Amino acid sequence: MSRGSGKGLNLKDKLDGNELDLSLCDLNEVPVRELAALPKATVLDLSCNNLISLPSDFCSLMHLVKLDLSKNRLQQLPLDFGRLVNLQHLDLLNNRLVTLPVSFAQLKNLKWLDLKDNPLDPVLAKVAGDCLDEKQCKQAAVKVLQHMKAIQSEQDRQRQRKLQAEREMEKKREAEQRAKEAQEREVRKREKAEEKERRRREYDAQKAAKQEMEKKTKKETVHTRKPASSSRPTQPPRHKPSWSRSVLRVLLFVLFCILCTLAACKLTELQHQPLCVSVNTLYEDVVAALQNHKTLQNMLQHNSQH
């Protein structure tokens, strides 16, 4: 085990009562696990080593009452350094600290503090002052604790303001969301009402058209059944040409043609033509038939009289 880690050390040999002296051990790491196994070592001296930082689990050593970290190369303390609530005496002389963690304000039992020979922030350096004697170191502890509590309170207020702002922003977003949803519901409601009104107008229009059609059909039916003796003046019936008249005209035309043919065959030089000979013969036969018919009628009439 390397000595730099402290794991090669026999801590029990270094323990004297409740004091554990690990100074001048050329440590660059703190053996936290081994220290945690010695809860009765309430006074710990880690001065004059090569410590650049403290591990986060160092703050679990809550049994420490006095801690000497002077003459190391510490650039910062763990953020939860305030967990060491039983700490009363803290020596940080001659390190490379610029600021202290805000949790430092939780060291309510701290009575002695030395921050000399650190490149502290000017405000913190002014608050800490000198630690040239017991009184000044005690005043440094009180003033630094007050200063860190003020910083913690300010940070708490800032966090509270930030949290409040975030809550207000969240409320604003929720209000905007509710307003947006209400607006969308109103739009949907209006669209639904418009759609309902449109369907109602279509229904009324279809119903009116149906009624108008039924009224028109009924009116046409009434006009169809209305008698001829209506308020309108009756028009004289138009005589439509009958088929019998057409037939009669055809017969008259045929008779006229026959008479013309007969006259031509009787009175002109065409009487010796074969056609005319046939016509004249047919004419004579017809005349004879008519005379016989007339004679028969006379005989029948004479017999009926007797």
Side-chain angles (χ1 to χ4, degrees):
M1 295 287 181
S2 64
R3 187 178 179 186
S5 64
K7 295 181 180 180
L9 295 175
N10 189 350
L11 299 187
K12 291 183 179 180
D13 294 339
K14 299 285 185 177
L15 183 62
D16 184 9
N18 65 339
E19 296 183 6
L20 180 61
D21 187 2
L22 297 180
S23 62
L24 300 170
C25 291
D26 198 24
L27 297 176
N28 52 32
E29 294 182 11
V30 179
V32 177
R33 183 176 299 179
E34 289 79 1
L35 291 174
L38 299 173
K40 67 177 183 178
T42 58
V43 178
L44 177 61
D45 188 355
L46 290 170
S47 62
C48 301
N49 283 292
N50 298 317
L51 300 177
I52 297 176
S53 64
L54 300 178
S56 59
D57 57 350
F58 179 85
C59 301
S60 65
L61 303 176
M62 298 174 62
H63 59 277
L64 294 178
V65 174
K66 184 177 180 179
L67 177 61
D68 189 351
L69 292 169
S70 61
K71 298 181 181 180
N72 279 280
R73 294 184 293 169
L74 294 174
Q75 298 179 3
Q76 60 183 6
L77 298 179
L79 294 178
D80 56 347
F81 192 80
R83 290 176 59 192
L84 302 176
V85 292
N86 293 313
L87 198 61
Q88 299 178 14
H89 185 109
L90 178 60
D91 192 346
L92 293 171
L93 171 72
N94 195 9
N95 277 279
R96 299 178 182 179
L97 297 174
V98 177
T99 60
L100 297 176
V102 178
S103 65
F104 198 91
Q106 300 173 13
L107 300 178
K108 57 185 179 179
N109 292 314
L110 189 65
K111 302 293 189 297
W112 195 96
L113 177 63
D114 188 357
L115 288 172
K116 291 193 309 295
D117 298 330
N118 280 280
L120 295 175
D121 176 79
V123 176
L124 180 59
K126 183 177 180 180
V127 170
D130 293 328
C131 183
L132 301 177
D133 53 33
E134 190 74 11
K135 183 179 179 180
Q136 288 182 346
C137 292
K138 288 182 178 180
Q139 289 178 350
V142 173
K143 291 180 180 180
V144 170
L145 282 179
Q146 291 176 348
H147 176 69
M148 298 308 298
K149 286 179 181 179
I151 293 177
Q152 186 180 45
S153 298
E154 180 61 27
Q155 288 187 356
D156 291 341
R157 285 192 295 269
Q158 289 180 358
R159 282 195 298 268
Q160 191 66 26
R161 286 194 294 268
K162 184 178 179 181
L163 181 61
Q164 184 65 25
E166 291 176 353
R167 289 176 179 174
E168 291 178 357
M169 184 63 68
E170 182 65 23
K171 289 181 180 179
K172 184 178 180 181
R173 285 195 294 266
E174 291 177 356
E176 291 176 353
Q177 183 65 25
R178 287 194 297 269
K180 182 179 179 181
E181 292 175 354
Q183 185 178 4
E184 291 176 352
R185 286 196 300 269
E186 188 65 24
V187 170
R188 289 195 298 268
K189 184 178 179 181
R190 184 168 61 253
E191 290 177 350
K192 187 176 180 180
E194 291 176 354
E195 178 65 18
K196 185 176 180 180
E197 179 64 19
R198 184 185 64 80
R199 293 200 306 267
R200 187 187 64 79
R201 288 197 299 268
E202 290 179 355
Y203 173 79
D204 292 342
Q206 291 175 0
K207 186 176 180 180
K210 184 177 180 181
Q211 291 177 351
E212 184 67 22
M213 184 64 68
E214 291 176 352
K215 185 177 180 181
K216 185 176 180 181
T217 304
K218 186 176 180 181
K219 188 175 181 180
E220 291 177 353
T221 304
V222 171
H223 281 302
T224 303
R225 295 179 179 178
K226 198 171 183 180
S229 58
S230 62
S231 59
R232 293 183 180 180
T234 56
Q235 296 180 355
R238 296 180 180 179
H239 297 285
K240 295 183 180 180
S242 175
W243 63 273
S244 58
R245 294 183 65 183
S246 299
V247 173
L248 181 60
R249 289 178 180 177
V250 172
L251 292 175
L252 289 175
F253 178 74
V254 172
L255 181 60
F256 176 74
C257 292
I258 292 172
L259 292 175
C260 290
T261 303
L262 184 59
C265 291
K266 284 288 189 181
L267 301 176
T268 63
E269 296 178 354
L270 297 174
Q271 58 183 339
H272 298 293
Q273 295 296 325
L275 179 60
C276 287
V277 172
S278 299
V279 170
N280 290 332
T281 302
L282 180 59
Y283 172 73
E284 292 174 356
D285 291 339
V286 170
V287 171
L290 290 174
Q291 288 178 352
N292 292 332
H293 179 66
K294 188 175 183 180
T295 302
L296 181 58
Q297 285 182 345
N298 290 332
M299 290 178 65
L300 292 173
Q301 185 177 5
H302 180 72
N303 289 331
S304 65
Q305 289 178 356
H306 287 287

